[in-house]
Amino acid sequence: MTRSLSFTYLFIILAVSYLGGTLLFRELSVGSVEKILIMFDARVVEGRDASLLFPVTTTVLFFVLALAFSRFKYSRFLVVFTGAVKCVLFGVSSAYLLAKGLKIIEYALWWFPFQLLICFALLLYCAVLTPPFFLKTTGRKERNNRGLITVAMCAVLLIGLEYTIFFLIIK
């Protein structure tokens, strides 16, 4: 029962953050949204002209930042917050892409499914790093590093596949 609760918990965080990002897009000016998106994923704004290195670095940075926050007792609450920020950026960038007229086929094949899976993988990674309150165990148990490695490898595979599709279909 508690295992299914964790997936529900993560999907709720993902959905609320995504919707928050789309609502944030409506409140901000287009210029400020473009500045934010160029920092995190320039492919959204620049399209074909964007470089590969910077978006990959920022995606990996979210995983590294979550790992760094989980190492210290007083910053563990920021681990899930890091995943939620990535999901908010997913919502902002999705709204920006749809508002700027990205073809729906490209959006449905490239952007939405891969970003959804990458955001969920990041949230799952965060949940393994610092389990939700209903999964915490008593006593002194160490975290399952095999789960972390598995989720991280799946995320690397998803990121690689997403960039391959971007450069084959979009570019």
Side-chain angles (χ1 to χ4, degrees), residues 35-101:
K35 288 178 186 176
I36 292 169
L37 293 178
I38 284 176
M39 278 182 15
F40 289 103
D41 197 348
R43 298 173 303 161
V44 175
V45 178
E46 297 172 358
R48 294 175 170 87
D49 300 331
S51 69
L52 172 71
L53 184 63
F54 199 64
V56 169
T57 305
T58 56
T59 304
V60 170
L61 184 67
F62 278 106
F63 284 90
V64 171
L65 197 61
L67 182 65
F69 284 145
S70 74
R71 296 291 177 196
F72 304 106
K73 182 179 180 181
Y74 294 110
S75 65
R76 286 196 181 138
F77 71 95
L78 292 172
V79 174
V80 177
F81 181 74
T82 304
V85 167
K86 172 73 172 149
C87 296
V88 167
L89 289 171
F90 168 44
V92 169
S93 56
S94 292
Y96 179 82
L97 284 171
L98 290 174
K100 289 300 175 183

Side-chain angles (χ1 to χ4, degrees), residues 106-166:
E106 292 174 354
Y107 179 79
L109 290 178
W110 163 60
W111 183 255
F112 187 80
F114 284 104
Q115 289 299 316
L116 178 71
L117 291 174
I118 290 169
C119 284
F120 187 72
L122 177 62
L123 286 173
L124 193 58
Y125 182 79
C126 293
V128 172
L129 284 172
T130 58
F133 64 93
F134 50 82
L135 289 179
K136 290 191 180 183
T137 58
T138 58
R140 194 174 172 147
K141 285 196 167 184
E142 303 227 358
R143 101 172 128 234
N144 184 2
N145 286 331
R146 285 187 294 170
L148 280 177
I149 293 169
T150 303
V151 171
M153 293 306 290
C154 288
V156 167
L157 180 71
L158 284 170
I159 292 167
L161 191 59
E162 189 236 343
Y163 282 96
T164 303
I165 288 178
F166 174 74

